Amino acid sequence: MPGGFRSLESALDSGPGEQCILKAGKRVSREAVIEVVAGPGTGKRLVLAPGAKAVLGRSASASLSIPDASISRKHVELEHRSDGVFVRDLGSRHGLALDGRAIPRDGALVVVAATLSLGSVRVRISRAGIEAPPKIPGIELREKLGQGGAGEVFAAWQDPPGRRVAVKAFPGSAGAIARGRASREHALEARLDHEGIVEVFDLVTAGGRLYLVRELVLGTSLDRELDSGALPWKRVAEIGADIAAALAHAHARGVVHRDVKPGNILLEARTVRAKLADFELARDARARTSLADATRLTKTGECLGTICYIAPEMILDARHASGPADVYGLAASLYHALAGERPFARAKKREYLMEVFGGGPPPLSELAPAVPEAISSIVARALSATLSSRPDAATLGAELGALAGRRARSRARGRRGA
């Protein structure tokens, strides 16, 4: 999901009403209005069309020229993107603030409206006509983190109890299968109590839409981290140990994730720990589900997950996937992190299934010769097409933790019973 995690550390550091709050509304606008509302140049304004950029500053050549000595000649750049107005400091002498909060070095996104401070000048950025989800009681939506087929994800503030949260907004057109998966995700995650698993707080309905309220992780995803290439092997071992421990906990409580992949592995900035997210496709291994119910939520023959990371047995029958399928997904993610490319990325379409069920991906020794044999062999065993040849999640976590010099996470948060 959603770049977006990095700039939230400062944007969401305190209580409600301080940064880019997304207001409820139904009107639709294609433009953003930039207007000086206080200080020199009050009343000056410009309109940004989608895709347009503008520079604000003291220079006469700036898109919006503001006659104030405290402002740099080219102070700030605004870009009207599809998800908001992106604000970037151009190296100004006195910096910027958005709704009273300093803007991070990598910029900030105004989803609907905010006030920008440049020296003694206040500039209002407004996209107030943008369609927004209806108001959710007790929750203020702030930053849009991303969007996928399952819906949008926002950073938000929930009061009570006064905490930062992530809110997953399912489409208003979500059918029975999507709603069933959301309810199942909430129910299964409520069974889990582990530091390495993103905590789910609530499932609410507002304005005819379904919202999943869960822990907000400040950092990035493994998927985004891999945009820059392979990671150091020790870091990969640390990530693997954390996620394997989370999976071992889930498996012990009868929950199979079924969609372990880099996009669902979040890397927390402060603790440098990894967390497992998104149990939307999870399976309750303890449930005696009728064939009719299983077919409603997981269509017969449907290949769940992302193809490069799903176990061979899930290609044939995702409905009965068990713990080894999650171990395979984690191993495929670690392979990607070590090699800098997805497993089977070089296989031609006709050869793909043959390699998945037979020979496996190219050895890591060929793609990443600097990676120690110890971790390469662990990942290779966990990528076996044969279920019985794979280690269980607890064993995998212990082996990777030993290589990384880190104890696997085993502590619960202490909020639920066993």
Side-chain angles (χ1 to χ4, degrees):
M1 290 205 169
F5 290 126
R6 292 178 309 214
S7 64
L8 292 175
E9 183 69 51
S10 57
L12 296 171
D13 195 40
S14 47
E18 294 193 3
Q19 177 80 7
C20 306
I21 298 174
L22 183 62
K23 301 296 185 183
K26 289 296 181 183
R27 293 171 299 157
V28 177
S29 171
R30 295 181 180 274
E31 299 174 332
V33 177
I34 316 300
E35 182 176 6
V36 180
V37 295
T42 296
K44 282 193 170 187
R45 70 198 304 263
L46 63 84
V47 176
L48 276 185
K53 292 183 180 181
V55 173
L56 278 59
R58 184 164 41 90
S59 171
S61 63
S63 309
L64 186 61
S65 180
I66 304 172
D68 188 331
S70 67
I71 296 176
S72 300
R73 291 179 59 80
K74 293 185 177 180
H75 200 110
V76 59
E77 180 185 74
L78 307 179
E79 180 183 1
H80 191 185
R81 301 178 178 179
S82 61
D83 54 352
V85 176
F86 189 76
V87 181
R88 185 169 66 91
D89 193 331
L90 295 177
S92 62
R93 288 178 298 166
H94 302 296
L96 297 167
L98 202 57
D99 285 347
R101 304 288 297 175
I103 291 181
R105 290 181 181 180
D106 55 346
L109 186 72
V110 177
V111 178
V112 171
T115 299
L116 181 66
S117 300
L118 305 81
S120 62
V121 177
R122 301 293 177 268
V123 176
R124 186 66 176 168
I125 303 171
S126 177
R127 298 174 77 234
I130 296 299
E131 185 175 7
K135 183 175 177 61
I136 309 171
I139 294 177
E140 290 179 342
L141 300 180
R142 294 187 169 185
E143 296 272 1
K144 185 175 178 179
L145 301 182
Q147 183 168 355
E152 301 167 298
V153 178
F154 298 91
W157 180 264
Q158 186 180 32
D159 191 16
R163 63 188 173 194
R164 297 171 293 182
V165 296
V167 176
K168 183 176 182 179
F170 292 88
S173 58
I177 290 179
R179 288 178 175 271
R181 285 176 175 172
S183 299
R184 181 177 59 186
E185 178 178 3
H186 178 238
L188 291 181
E189 289 198 55
R191 187 188 294 175
L192 306 177
D193 182 16
H194 192 273
E195 290 181 321
I197 295 174
V198 175
E199 185 175 3
V200 168
F201 301 125
D202 203 1
L203 182 67
V204 299
T205 301
R209 293 184 69 176
L210 202 60
Y211 299 88
L212 190 68
V213 184
R214 60 192 184 192
E215 173 188 2
L216 176 65
V217 178
L218 295 172
T220 188
S221 67
L222 179 58
D223 190 39
R224 292 189 179 280
E225 195 81 351
L226 294 178
D227 285 343
S228 301
L231 303 182
W233 72 265
K234 189 172 182 180
R235 178 62 180 139
V236 175
E238 291 172 345
I239 294 169
D242 285 344
I243 300 303
L247 288 173
H249 173 84
H251 296 166
R253 297 198 175 192
V255 179
V256 183
H257 190 282
R258 294 199 300 184
D259 195 20
V260 181
K261 60 185 180 182
N264 287 334
I265 296 174
L266 305 184
L267 308 178
E268 200 168 29
R270 286 179 178 173
T271 65
V272 201
R273 289 281 193 171
K275 286 177 174 278
L276 183 62
D278 203 343
F279 280 70
E280 182 186 351
L281 301 184
R283 170 179 175 253
D284 186 352
R286 296 176 180 174
R288 294 183 178 180
T289 309
S290 69
L291 179 60
D293 288 339
T295 302
R296 277 199 293 268
L297 297 182
T298 307
K299 299 174 185 177
T300 303
E302 183 180 21
C303 179
L304 297 177
T306 303
I307 191 67
C308 293
Y309 308 102
I310 64 174
E313 64 271 19
M314 282 189 62
I315 296 175
L316 300 176
D317 183 8
R319 291 186 294 117
H320 297 102
S322 56
D326 286 344
V327 168
Y328 185 99
L330 175 56
S333 300
L334 301 181
Y335 180 101
H336 185 176
L338 291 167
E341 67 177 51
R342 298 175 179 85
F344 310 106
R346 303 185 183 190
K348 296 179 180 178
K349 195 170 183 180
R350 295 178 181 178
E351 301 169 348
Y352 180 78
L353 290 179
M354 185 180 298
E355 293 199 15
V356 168
F357 285 97
L364 282 168
S365 58
E366 293 182 6
L367 301 181
V371 172
E373 173 60 25
I375 189 170
S376 296
S377 62
I378 291 172
V379 172
R381 281 193 294 115
L383 274 174
S384 173
T386 306
L387 277 70
S388 59
S389 297
R390 298 174 206 157
D392 60 30
T395 301
L396 179 61
E399 292 179 350
L400 291 171
L403 284 179
R406 168 184 284 186
R407 286 187 178 183
R409 276 176 160 178
S410 58
R411 288 191 299 139
R413 299 186 189 93
R415 59 178 177 81
R416 301 187 186 108

